Amino acid sequence: LDIAYDPSNGYLYVTNCGNIVSVINPSTNQVVANIQVGASPRCIIYDPSNGYLYVTSPSSDSVLVINPSTNQVIGKIQVGKCPLGITYDPTNGYIYVANYGCCYVSVINPSTNKVIGKIDVGKGSPYVTYDPSNGYLYVSEDFCSSVLVINPSTNKVICNIKVGVLPWGIVYDPSNGYLYVANSGCYYVSVIN
């Protein structure tokens, strides 16, 4: 479902439809380990501040914390209903989780692995990404066919950008500074400057 790279060991971590996260050595393209997570994993990120992996688990309304040096789940952080998207903000060191089943984005402090805030957004916000060029967060909002822009210094929505029908996945391209939004309800990808 999703994939993250760990620069400390050079491995890739892939969430699967079952209850595992697969560890891949890209130099051999082989699975070298499977991490049992006990809940359906969805999206995954690497946190460079502590070296841990954070995995959303919609079936348990939580974020799982994995230590890649032991390939073990070492924590479980309760967030909102049906968490899907997750991103890391290097300017403040916080992790942001889009909860699809409720109306807010959870803010996690990875130094304590605790939820320290909530950002009110619209219903149906499946994915979130960080834009290093301006320091803002972008959250897809499928009920309103838009992307919400959040200022993480105030935890407020500052703009609403209309895109295609049912936007889901969203990614930042560092080569041109654009955002790309996959619209699941139509046949095109929206490009945001």
Side-chain angles (χ1 to χ4, degrees):
L1 295 175
D2 198 21
I3 190 166
Y5 174 71
D6 181 344
S8 67
N9 61 19
Y11 290 160
L12 299 169
Y13 294 80
V14 181
T15 58
N16 294 282
C17 288
N19 295 330
I20 63 169
V21 172
S22 296
V23 185
I24 297 173
N25 182 342
S27 65
T28 62
N29 288 332
Q30 297 292 318
V31 174
V32 294
N34 285 308
I35 304 168
Q36 295 294 327
V37 294
S40 300
R42 186 62 182 230
C43 293
I44 185 169
I45 61 157
Y46 172 78
D47 181 344
S49 69
N50 60 20
Y52 294 154
L53 298 161
Y54 290 80
V55 182
T56 57
S57 171
S59 64
S60 66
D61 296 336
S62 65
V63 172
L64 308 173
V65 185
I66 295 174
N67 182 343
S69 65
T70 62
N71 285 339
Q72 297 290 319
V73 175
I74 60 167
K76 183 177 181 181
I77 305 164
Q78 290 301 133
V79 290
K81 186 176 179 183
C82 193
L84 294 178
I86 187 168
T87 195
Y88 173 75
D89 181 344
T91 59
N92 61 20
Y94 295 156
I95 292 169
Y96 295 84
V97 181
N99 302 292
Y100 187 64
C102 58
C103 302
Y104 60 86
V105 170
S106 299
V107 185
I108 296 173
N109 183 343
S111 65
T112 61
N113 284 334
K114 302 277 186 198
V115 174
I116 58 167
K118 296 177 182 176
I119 304 169
D120 292 327
V121 293
K123 293 180 181 177
S125 299
Y127 291 97
V128 59
T129 195
Y130 171 76
D131 181 343
S133 69
N134 60 20
Y136 292 154
L137 301 166
Y138 291 81
V139 180
S140 57
E141 217 296 340
D142 70 353
F143 283 107
C144 296
S145 296
S146 63
V147 170
L148 306 176
V149 185
I150 295 173
N151 183 341
S153 64
T154 61
N155 283 346
K156 300 285 185 196
V157 175
I158 60 170
C159 184
N160 185 331
I161 304 166
K162 286 292 181 185
V163 290
V165 179
L166 298 174
W168 271 66
I170 184 167
V171 67
Y172 172 78
D173 182 345
S175 68
N176 61 18
Y178 293 162
L179 293 164
Y180 294 84
V181 183
N183 302 292
S184 62
C186 55
Y187 298 105
Y188 59 85
V189 171
S190 298
V191 184
I192 299 172
N193 185 341

